[in-house]
Amino acid sequence: MADSDKLPARVRRQSLIDWDRARGKQTLAVLTAYDYTFARLADRAGADALLVGDSLGMTFAGEDNTLSVTLEQMVYHTRAVARGRERALLISDLPFLSYQESPEQALRSAGELLRAGAEVVKLEGGAVMAETVAFLSARGIPVCGHIGLTPQSVHQLGGYRQQGRDEVTAARLREDARQLVAAGARLLVLEAMPADLAAQITAESTVPTIGIGAGPHCDAQVLVMQDVLGLFLGQSPGFVRRYLEGAALCQDALARFVDDVHQRAYPGSGEG
Ligand SMILES: Nc1nc(=O)c2c([nH]1)NC[C@@H]1CN(c3ccc(C(=O)N[C@@H](CCC(=O)O)C(=O)O)cc3)CN21
Ligand SMILES: CC(C)C(=O)C(=O)O
Ligand SMILES: [Mg+2]
């Protein structure tokens, strides 16, 4: 029997139980994904979770911030990513104004993301969101908190800048984390904060932390896929490590196609 005739080995889907078990043993890797193709590639690369981030407003749609992203758009992208995913845990962002109004609004919005294939919903905010996190958790919906640089508050924060630099704001972030976990959050994103603060929050947390620009001591690391692949055309944050010059490679390939057509070199014989 040829290899290709064998039934595919069934991959075991990662759950929050696997995430809890990995804590302290292996640092887990998360990538954002917005579509079927890249979700499949990241899943096959071994990503432990895929995040359908509202950063898609910037990376996919070319907006200046994430505020214009709608729940309908997040549902659409979550469906596409869910089809590409085999193994990774699937987390989706609740977008701006889809959860801040009330726990009931958050429940309805979270339900739509779960029906589209998400297994965990992520929302931005600290202590002020504890009631909503408890409401969703009590109704069987796993929540990932997100504190530090919360991009949906970009105008209040005065830009995309590191948070928790002084003692007062650091203490507030530790208390935010404590209240989110006490309310039932199963994961915690720590974005753009000093490494020692993220280490302290991670040590105090009973659930896995996922860092982005938050140093090496978190239980997991997440980056925006376009930043990793060099496909983000704006200014990537300073903490990004680029693993591919994706934009240059893609643009060069596309330019060669355009040239070939202009030169009548495509299609050739045998290419229709
Ligand atoms: N492509 C992309 N990658 C991301 O990681 C990302 C997005 N987009 N969009 C939403 C947010 C914004 N992000 C950011 C952006 C900048 C910093 C940052 O650390 N900035 C520097 C300079 C700030 C300044 O110019 O004042 C800093 O030192 O704080 C952190 C997170 C993370 N998210
Ligand atoms: C950067 C991650 C944490 C995020 O929230 C997003 O991609 O929207
Ligand atoms: Mg987000």
Side-chain angles (χ1 to χ4, degrees), residues 55 58-59 149 151 160-162 191-192 212 224 227 232 237 239:
S55 54
M58 299 168 75
T59 53
L149 197 181
Y160 298 118
R161 51 206 317 152
Q162 200 184 46
E191 177 163 348
I212 171 164
V224 167
D227 293 332
F232 183 59
F239 52 75

Side-chain angles (χ1 to χ4, degrees), residues 32 34 51 53-55 93 122 124 146 189 191 212 222 224:
T32 65
Y34 314 123
L51 170 66
D54 60 351
S55 54
D93 265 349
K122 182 163 78 59
E124 297 182 7
H146 179 164
V189 164
E191 177 163 348
I212 171 164
V222 60
V224 167

Side-chain angles (χ1 to χ4, degrees), residues 24 26 55 62 65 87-88 95 101-103 128 133 139 146-147 170-171 173 184 196 205 210 253 263:
Q26 167 145 55
S55 54
N65 55 53
R87 175 182 173 275
E101 199 177 300
S102 65
V128 69
V133 171
R139 285 156 184 76
H146 179 164
I147 59 172
L173 287 173
D196 58 344
S205 171
I210 306 172
Q263 307 296 326

